[in-house]
Amino acid sequence: MRVAVVFFAGAKRDKVHDLARGVADSLERQGHAVTLIDGDQSRDAKLTVYDYLVLGTSVTSLFRGRIDSRIGEFLAQAGNLLGKKSFAFVANAPFGAQRGLSRLMDLMEREGIFLRFSEILRSREEADQVVRRLKIER
């Protein structure tokens, strides 16, 4: 199955990239064809050709749980996403991570993406464990 792992790192670039890389590596070990896409730099990426989407980010404000507003713009321009199955994750933060995850999920659902799973990830090892539970069929 073709899987796109799209991440929007913002100020926490190293952490979010590491989590996205952990998700991608785990999916590759399961036999999927994975493409890692940096949403901050690849504004014109088309996601129509992928069977499964993984979107990850970090919160941009400590208490309010805001996420990067460019995520919505990216999804709107990424092609036909209606009915695509997906997984959403947010990098762990002391405050606001749950609210940020909720906002990410809302953006994805507005584009017609079918959310199968969501998680707040703390480490690359936790990302690996979560992906094992996804049960993505080929």
Side-chain angles (χ1 to χ4, degrees), residues 43-88:
R43 291 287 173 207
D44 58 347
K46 299 297 179 201
L47 304 177
T48 306
V49 298
Y50 296 99
D51 303 310
Y52 197 93
L53 304 176
V54 177
L55 266 76
T57 190
S58 63
V59 292
T60 58
S61 66
L62 186 60
F63 293 105
R64 296 189 178 189
R66 290 197 173 122
I67 59 173
D68 192 341
S69 61
R70 294 177 292 179
I71 297 172
E73 296 168 14
F74 177 89
L75 291 175
Q77 299 171 0
N80 183 11
L81 305 177
L82 190 63
K84 295 228 184 261
K85 295 177 183 173
S86 68
F87 164 57

Side-chain angles (χ1 to χ4, degrees), residues 30-47:
Q30 292 178 14
H32 301 289
V34 180
T35 305
L36 188 64
I37 301 171
D38 184 346
D40 294 326
Q41 297 179 5
S42 301
R43 291 287 173 207
D44 58 347
K46 299 297 179 201
L47 304 177

Side-chain angles (χ1 to χ4, degrees), residues 17-23 25 29 121-129:
H17 181 265
D18 190 46
L19 293 172
R21 186 74 252 168
V23 169
D25 289 345
R29 281 194 299 275
L121 298 177
R122 291 161 187 77
S123 67
R124 190 175 179 139
E125 294 76 25
E126 185 178 18
D128 184 48
Q129 292 172 0

Side-chain angles (χ1 to χ4, degrees), residues 54-56 86-90 101 104-105 108 115 117-119:
V54 177
L55 266 76
S86 68
F87 164 57
F89 75 87
V90 170
L101 182 60
L104 176 61
M105 292 171 14
M108 293 168 71
L115 271 159
F117 199 74
S118 62
E119 189 69 48

